[in-house]
Amino acid sequence: MMYSIDMERAAQLTEARLDHVSSLPSFSPERFGRVVEVGPTLLRAAIDGVGLGEVCSVADTLAEVVSVSSDAALLSPFSEPQGMKCGTLVRPHGGPHCVPVGEFLIGSVVDGLGRQLSGSPAPDGCEQRPLEASVPDPLTRAIIDTPLPLGVKAIDGVLTCGVGQRVGIFAAAGGGKSSLLGMICGGTTADVVILCLVGERGREVREFIEHTLTEDARRRSVIVVSTSDRPAIERLKAVYTATTIAEYFRDQGLNVLLMVDSLTRFARAGREIGLAAGEPPAAGSFPPSVFARLPRLLERTGCAATGSITGIYTVLVEADNMNEPIADEVRSILDGHIVLSRRLAEMNHYPAIDIEKSKSRVMHQVTGEHHRQLAGLAVELSARYREVELLVRVGEYARGNDPEADKAVDRRSALNGFLRQARGERFSLDETIARLAAAVTS
């Protein structure tokens, strides 16, 4: 009798504390278990019949099943397990975590689990979607053949993106990634922008929303936030939440821009959970599950039969090392990469895009021949100037020996002027192409 009373009280407490969470499958009265081990990241529970990814209630919090064995399940709690005790009741919900989606999200800020940070509940009857979804059939995907202007000259002119393309922004910490994302938010022509901030400092969130984003950008954006202090499972799920919201708007026939800052912190959250669950470390100390997650997640974006999701993902690299395990894996999956140079940032050249090391793999599909020739000439001029840069700086460069090098030196100032851009500046694609032509041919 006492055991059934404990179960009833636990269920009542859980329902009262979790009524603000996105709709979950109802409790299964036949299934319950108990916590047998409490760790800083994971809980071990003796419970039968739960599946991988299933959500369970543990006291007054939620947890997700991340590993299942014959006699126990490992759960990652959605909040810190402070005060959690062995013997705590575990109640499975019978399904995965779902997030509410709909037009009401535009202009709002939600946490990594899809709950509005303003405290406003989701409208009654709104659609609920699980965070895991299937990848669009490759034979039903529309071909990428339309440019997507982002309002940044260096990208639109030399590294043109297409509607439905997936691009990585690779840079060291402090390289200007967040500022570049803010410029893209304000300059893009996408219908809806989904911005996911993973593992950011708490003070930076409001600063980014109020200072980096323009008012117009905020009005057509959905911002998903999971700061660095949040549990690993929430930081991990934040990217899935943002992708699920983007898929909803894509299914309405819209062109969606999904931006994630950063994919590295997503991978680190997966590493924290994977290692705690007993996975062996692989490349770069990341467990195999991290490398398995990346393609499944990234392939959910792109063109579909209806609508599209253009994905821009930032990746942290140390000392401009593009061969780190996560950076190398992401670059192999995406349709292009934009490299931000620490050297250019130190020269106050912003955005610090290194056009020689950057590449858009679909640019030839979304631009005309004249535009491609101008972009190729810009890269050639930049590369030739770098070959003679030291000689120019020390005053030893002799003109007349190499006409191509002479041209690169002559056009250096104009090309740098084109590649530089202040935060508040916006340029149409036609204006960008005209300015590019003036910079490389005049």
Side-chain angles (χ1 to χ4, degrees):
M1 185 65 177
M2 286 296 294
Y3 192 71
S4 62
I5 293 175
D6 284 348
M7 291 171 54
E8 181 178 348
R9 289 182 61 192
Q12 290 174 348
L13 177 60
T14 301
E15 294 287 3
R17 291 291 300 273
L18 301 177
D19 56 359
H20 64 288
V21 178
S22 309
S23 67
L24 294 163
S26 58
F27 290 123
S28 173
E30 294 82 14
R31 294 191 299 157
F32 59 87
R34 296 280 177 174
V35 174
V36 296
E37 183 180 344
V38 180
T41 303
L42 298 181
L43 308 174
R44 181 181 296 275
I47 184 171
D48 294 327
V50 293
L52 197 65
E54 186 171 350
V55 174
C56 299
S57 294
V58 186
D60 58 351
T61 189
L62 292 176
E64 180 177 303
V65 178
V66 296
S67 179
V68 180
S69 63
S70 59
D71 59 347
L74 293 179
L75 295 86
S76 182
F78 289 177
S79 60
E80 293 296 330
Q82 295 296 326
M84 189 73 66
K85 300 177 181 179
C86 290
T88 302
L89 188 69
V90 179
R91 299 292 300 271
H93 287 265
H97 183 73
C98 297
V99 294
V101 294
E103 299 289 337
F104 68 92
L105 287 172
I106 296 180
S108 65
V109 182
V110 302
D111 68 8
L113 302 177
R115 301 170 293 199
Q116 296 203 41
L117 293 183
S118 64
S120 302
D124 293 337
C126 68
E127 183 179 348
Q128 306 282 336
R129 290 197 175 192
L131 297 185
E132 295 284 350
S134 59
V135 172
D137 189 317
L139 296 182
T140 65
R141 289 184 183 268
I143 298 295
I144 300 175
D145 57 7
T146 305
L148 178 65
L150 300 178
V152 180
K153 290 182 297 179
I155 298 177
D156 292 344
V158 186
L159 306 164
T160 314
C161 291
V163 174
Q165 185 178 358
R166 301 161 306 163
V167 182
I169 298 177
F170 296 78
K177 298 183 301 301
S178 296
S179 296
L180 180 56
L181 292 182
M183 294 172 66
I184 293 173
C185 273
T188 182
T189 59
D191 299 319
V192 180
V193 176
I194 314 297
L195 177 60
C196 181
L197 303 177
V198 182
E200 292 285 349
R201 304 175 185 90
R203 69 166 181 83
E204 291 181 330
V205 174
R206 187 173 175 185
E207 290 177 4
F208 185 88
I209 294 172
E210 297 186 6
H211 297 161
T212 305
L213 294 182
T214 64
E215 184 177 350
D216 177 68
R218 290 194 296 269
R219 280 198 300 265
R220 58 193 176 105
S221 300
V222 181
I223 303 175
V224 181
V225 174
S226 183
T227 51
S228 59
D229 60 293
R230 301 303 302 159
I233 188 67
E234 182 178 326
R235 284 179 273 130
L236 187 78
K237 292 300 180 183
V239 184
Y240 287 98
T241 295
T243 304
T244 301
I245 295 172
E247 287 172 334
Y248 167 81
F249 289 105
R250 177 204 64 193
D251 294 344
Q252 312 309 307
L254 300 177
N255 291 327
V256 182
L257 177 63
L258 169 65
M259 299 193 294
V260 176
D261 183 19
S262 73
L263 211 55
T264 303
R265 297 191 184 108
F266 164 84
R268 288 172 180 171
R271 176 175 62 185
E272 186 177 333
I273 295 172
L275 294 180
E279 285 189 69
S285 77
F286 289 94
S289 61
V290 170
F291 297 98
R293 285 181 185 273
L294 286 172
R296 292 200 302 265
L297 172 69
L298 299 178
E299 285 294 332
R300 288 170 61 179
T301 58
C303 289
T306 300
S308 67
I309 302 175
T310 303
I312 298 180
Y313 303 88
T314 69
V315 180
L316 290 167
V317 295
E318 294 182 7
D320 297 337
N321 180 14
M322 292 285 288
N323 295 319
E324 292 178 337
I326 296 300
D328 192 50
E329 180 70 13
V330 171
R331 192 172 67 252
S332 71
I333 299 171
L334 299 180
D335 307 315
H337 52 275
I338 298 171
V339 178
L340 301 186
S341 167
R342 188 193 303 267
R343 181 180 67 89
L344 291 175
E346 291 171 350
M347 297 168 60
N348 197 35
H349 179 120
Y350 290 104
I353 298 174
D354 189 332
I355 60 173
E356 299 170 46
K357 296 182 179 179
S358 304
K359 180 72 174 179
S360 172
R361 296 181 184 174
V362 304
M363 184 173 178
H364 66 285
Q365 300 172 207
V366 299
T367 57
E369 181 64 27
H370 177 62
H371 185 178
R372 290 195 295 273
Q373 289 178 352
L374 293 175
L377 182 55
V379 176
E380 290 175 15
L381 290 173
S382 180
R384 292 306 295 269
Y385 180 81
R386 185 168 295 190
E387 292 176 358
V388 299
E389 183 177 11
L390 180 59
L391 294 176
V392 173
R393 290 186 179 278
V394 299
E396 295 295 328
Y397 177 73
R399 298 183 62 86
N401 295 326
D402 186 343
E404 294 299 323
D406 291 344
K407 184 178 179 180
V409 173
D410 293 340
R411 305 310 308 159
R412 184 60 180 176
S413 178
L415 182 57
N416 272 346
F418 170 79
L419 296 175
R420 282 189 168 106
Q421 184 171 334
R423 282 190 186 183
E425 291 182 313
R426 301 287 182 267
F427 299 91
S428 67
L429 183 58
D430 290 340
E431 187 177 4
T432 293
I433 296 174
R435 286 174 177 261
L436 176 60
V440 300
T441 62
S442 297

